[in-house]
Structures are given as structure tokens and as C-alpha cells.
Amino acid sequence: MKNAALCVFAILAFVSKVFANEITLYTNISPPYQEKKGDEVTGLSIDMLKCVFDKLDLDYKVSITPWLRAKINVRDGLGAGYFTAGLSKETEEYATLSAPLALEKWYWYFTDTQLKKDKIGVIRGSTQDEWLAENSTSEIIQVNKFNQLFQMVKSNRVNAFLSDQKTFDNQIKLSQIDASKIKSKFFKYTPLGVYFSNKFLDSSTNVLNEFNKAIPDCRTEAISLSEQEKQIIHNIAKSQVMTWLNH
């Protein structure tokens, strides 16, 4: 009986290890959360993921791909998930969002005296792009690179563009863009996590729960918050937990 139990344990451990080696997460370059330095992928979200998976003793790999392709791959079962992502009605049909890895502070960036939103610029496939597609009636102009947003708003091809504050500040620093004439207006906080494929979660009992439990011990400056902001994200996380419990 003892030998049979040991045999079962060994098989389960082997299967678990094999599956762990197959965990593929997709992302795109979005400094300072995901950055490419030579052959290495670094950044605030990358550091948090490494910490979380180390705590879970699970192997994983990160594959760089455009946002839209990342979502299609996860939808089609070609990977375990993608990050960092905000809540999306479309993605909710085939994936489940983890607890927040980062809290983005979204701002409108514009050059006019007053903020107008007739035409809005956005990075194609980004979290902002998804949110606007689901919530805005404005004309959305999609681009592939961040510096194109600056060019469009300066030339009045768009009234404004929507971006995370850290991403904006990082692009200004990296590209040495003159942003002296660009105004900003705070819009909203957006928590970002990992969207795990429901197919992956169905075959990986309790992984999401353990993943979420490990996040608080791995906080980095990806979530650098005032007391008020901590309360906001606490309320968001509490709301998500209640949603999961009611399913």
C-alpha cells in the first residue's frame, strides 16, 4: 500500500513538472513594465512574475509578441496567458484575470487649451485601446509606436492620446522628446494583471489562487502607492474576489 502511494505521488509530481515546463506567457514591450535589453526581457512586471513563480516553484517562459497576437494565442490555447492586462469584456470570454501586478495611472495628453476627445490616439492592441473600444464613442486612431502618438497630437491629427503615466514618463526619457507643450489630465486608475486562459486553469487546479496569494509578498515599484491609492486597489481586489466567489 505504501509503495502504491509513493508511486502515485511520483507520477503526480512528474506530471506537475512536465506541465510547469509548458507555461508560456505572452507580453509586448511596454517600458517600464516590460523592457528588452539585448536578449533579456526585464521590467517591473517581469520582476514581479519571477518572484511569484519562484515562490510557487513553477517554471515559465515569456514570449514577446504584439498585443493582438498575444490575445489570439491565448484564446486559441497556444499559451497559458498574457500580461500585463486590464479587465476586458472580450477576453473574459476565454480567460480569467489575476490579482493586480501593477496599478497604472492613466492620463489624457493633449496640446489644446482644453481637452477634446473627438479623435483619440492609442497604441494598437494596448489596454487603453481595449478600454476605448468598449467604452468610448470617439474616433480612435491606432498606431504601433509611442513616438507616433506625440507626432499626431503635436500636428493636431488627434485631439489627445491616452497613456499610463509611467509609460509616458519613460518614453520622454528614452526618446528625449520635447514634451514641454503637452498638457496632461488625470483620467483613471487601472489595475493590471495576468490573463490566464480558462483552458490552462481548468487543467491546473488552484494555480490562480496560489498565484494571487503570492503577489502581495512580491510588490515592487510597479505598485507605488499613496495611502489613498492603496485603499483604491484594495477595493478593486476585494470586488474581484467577490466576483470569483459568486461564480
Side-chain angles (χ1 to χ4, degrees):
M1 188 71 174
K2 184 178 178 181
N3 289 338
L6 287 174
C7 183
V8 170
F9 178 82
I11 292 172
L12 289 174
F14 174 77
V15 171
S16 174
K17 186 65 177 175
V18 169
F19 190 83
N21 287 334
E22 296 175 348
I23 297 179
T24 298
L25 298 176
Y26 296 100
T27 192
N28 195 6
I29 299 304
S30 182
Y33 303 100
Q34 297 92 236
E35 305 182 62
K36 191 82 179 288
K37 293 183 178 179
D39 294 331
E40 187 180 4
V41 183
T42 64
L44 302 179
S45 298
I46 299 296
D47 292 343
M48 280 200 70
L49 275 182
K50 183 180 185 307
C51 175
V52 170
F53 278 110
D54 282 350
K55 285 182 177 296
L56 299 182
D57 195 26
L58 290 175
D59 295 326
Y60 74 103
K61 65 177 181 179
V62 173
S63 179
I64 303 298
T65 190
W67 288 122
L68 291 177
R69 173 50 55 186
K71 296 165 191 174
I72 291 170
N73 286 350
V74 172
R75 182 197 67 192
D76 293 347
L78 301 178
Y82 74 91
F83 69 95
T84 48
L87 191 64
S88 162
K89 294 174 186 175
E90 181 183 351
T91 309
E92 285 288 306
E93 295 178 5
Y94 57 85
T96 302
L97 189 62
S98 75
L101 294 177
L103 182 68
E104 287 194 335
K105 302 173 187 178
W106 288 8
Y107 280 77
W108 295 106
Y109 294 95
F110 56 101
T111 55
D112 291 338
T113 354
Q114 292 184 328
L115 173 61
K116 299 175 184 177
K117 303 175 189 175
D118 299 324
K119 290 186 178 181
I120 299 171
V122 71
I123 297 294
R124 181 177 284 105
S126 65
T127 305
Q128 291 84 7
D129 188 15
E130 274 193 329
W131 188 90
L132 288 167
E134 294 178 358
N135 298 278
S136 175
T137 56
S138 302
E139 181 181 352
I140 309 301
I141 311 296
Q142 299 169 312
V143 296
N144 294 319
K145 297 182 179 178
F146 206 92
N147 62 355
Q148 293 175 286
L149 294 176
F150 286 98
Q151 293 167 2
M152 288 199 305
V153 79
K154 284 184 175 180
S155 62
N156 295 318
R157 288 179 57 199
V158 296
N159 303 118
F161 65 86
L162 187 58
S163 173
D164 165 58
Q165 184 186 47
K166 273 193 176 77
T167 302
F168 177 89
D169 292 343
N170 191 77
Q171 289 294 331
I172 293 293
K173 183 179 178 181
L174 288 178
S175 306
Q176 298 182 331
I177 295 172
D178 179 14
S180 57
K181 294 182 180 179
I182 295 183
K183 303 175 179 67
S184 64
K185 184 176 181 180
F186 175 75
F187 178 46
K188 69 190 290 282
Y189 292 104
T190 302
L192 302 183
V194 178
Y195 252 125
F196 285 106
S197 159
N198 290 335
K199 292 179 182 177
F200 168 77
L201 295 177
D202 287 343
S203 58
S204 310
T205 308
N206 215 35
V207 165
L208 181 60
N209 186 42
E210 293 303 317
F211 184 91
N212 289 339
K213 282 183 182 177
I215 288 176
D217 293 331
C218 294
R219 295 287 189 217
T220 67
E221 60 179 299
I223 297 187
S224 179
L225 304 171
S226 65
E227 288 305 314
Q228 181 184 7
E229 291 168 339
K230 286 177 183 177
Q231 187 59 48
I232 289 171
I233 198 168
H234 172 78
N235 292 340
I236 291 169
K238 183 178 178 181
S239 174
Q240 286 186 355
V241 169
M242 292 305 295
T243 300
W244 297 329
L245 290 176
N246 291 328
H247 277 177

